[in-house]
Amino acid sequence: MKKCWDPIPANRPSFREIRTIMADFNLEEIDNWFSRGRHALPGGARTANQLLYDVFPAHVANTLRQGKKVEPEQHDCVTIFFSDIVGFTDISRMLQPMEVMDMLDR
């Protein structure tokens, strides 16, 4: 999967190639690997769990780790909204990264 991070877009695998590779994954083995907290993120030694707690308040991170739905909350300074955009993959495939960001910022 490191090929997906290649700074040269032409060197990255297509979605079709990624799907083919992922079809061979043993999902139970991957889930166990993540559960043991041994997943190091690219460019650093932090685990996925550490990153989760860095990004979200503890109660939100705990809810996400349990696989439960995070209920919307409102605060004076910020609102975090989780959503699924239908067709996002197809749309973003046709745009440059900055165009995707501009679209999401609207």
Side-chain angles (χ1 to χ4, degrees):
M1 293 283 94
K2 288 184 180 180
K3 291 179 184 178
C4 295
W5 308 326
D6 195 301
I8 302 169
N11 293 345
R12 298 176 196 155
S14 68
F15 286 105
R16 181 171 287 144
E17 292 169 316
I18 293 169
R19 278 190 211 107
T20 301
I21 294 167
M22 291 179 70
D24 294 332
F25 284 178
N26 178 335
L27 297 181
E28 186 175 328
E29 187 177 310
I30 292 170
D31 187 49
N32 289 337
W33 186 54
F34 275 99
S35 296
R36 289 190 303 264
R38 295 184 181 161
H39 177 63
L41 296 173
R46 298 185 324 187
T47 66
N49 285 336
Q50 288 170 326
L51 180 62
L52 193 63
Y53 285 95
D54 287 348
V55 173
F56 297 108
H59 71 282
V60 173
N62 290 333
T63 302
L64 291 171
R65 288 195 62 226
Q66 294 168 7
K68 295 179 182 175
K69 178 182 176 189
V70 177
E71 294 298 325
E73 296 180 27
Q74 185 171 346
H75 301 274
D76 291 337
C77 297
V78 65
T79 298
I80 298 175
F81 175 71
F82 293 89
S83 179
D84 179 29
I85 301 171
V86 176
F88 179 78
T89 300
D90 293 330
I91 293 168
S92 62
R93 184 180 309 145
M94 296 182 285
L95 301 173
Q96 294 296 314
M98 291 309 293
E99 292 174 311
V100 172
M101 295 305 300
D102 288 342
M103 176 186 70
L104 294 174
D105 284 341
R106 281 190 236 154

